[in-house]
Amino acid sequence: MGRILLILVCVAAAWQIFGTREVAAGDPRLKTGTNGVVMLSAEWCGYCDALRADLKRSGAKFRELDVESDAEGVAAWDAFGANGVPITIVGQRVVHGYDPETIKRLMTVAGHRLAKN
């Protein structure tokens, strides 16, 4: 019984510390709602090129923010404390790196009708 109580106290403390963090002003999730799609990219990034092509082929609407030349992209980069691109936001979910299967699954769950590739 004591261990269970200790675990519950630890979970409650973690929730208090991490679950109530404020969202940074530049965080794109403030504008994506439940199904918006935003891709953070850089001009030189090959994985960004591949993901951009995947998203275009899917027929999904998405916004792309360059983390080096676009003020909104720089703010988003800072909000995530990121250290690599691409970063894809689908609704309130964030995918770091090139992971087209996860992105496709999240977009489908969010209600996007994707073209068959």
Side-chain angles (χ1 to χ4, degrees):
M1 181 69 175
R3 286 184 181 172
I4 293 174
L5 184 57
L6 179 61
I7 291 170
L8 290 174
V9 168
C10 289
V11 168
W15 178 261
Q16 185 65 27
I17 293 168
F18 299 109
T20 58
R21 283 186 172 174
E22 288 186 33
V23 176
D27 191 325
R29 292 175 290 182
L30 294 171
K31 298 179 182 178
T32 55
T34 58
N35 64 354
V37 179
V38 176
M39 175 183 158
L40 303 182
S41 66
E43 185 177 318
W44 49 263
C45 172
Y47 287 111
C48 298
D49 293 341
L51 183 56
R52 182 182 310 105
D54 292 343
L55 290 171
K56 285 181 179 179
R57 270 194 306 276
S58 77
K61 289 185 178 181
F62 69 99
R63 286 184 344 139
E64 185 174 357
L65 304 174
D66 189 296
V67 300
E68 294 179 325
S69 64
D70 178 26
E72 193 175 355
V74 172
W77 172 269
D78 290 341
F80 286 127
N83 60 7
V85 286
I87 298 173
T88 308
I89 300 93
V90 180
Q92 298 300 298
R93 303 289 303 271
V94 179
V95 179
H96 292 265
Y98 179 68
D99 189 350
E101 292 305 315
T102 298
I103 294 165
K104 181 179 177 181
R105 180 178 48 79
L106 291 174
M107 290 174 70
T108 301
V109 168
H112 292 272
R113 292 180 178 220
L114 305 179
K116 302 289 183 196
N117 295 333

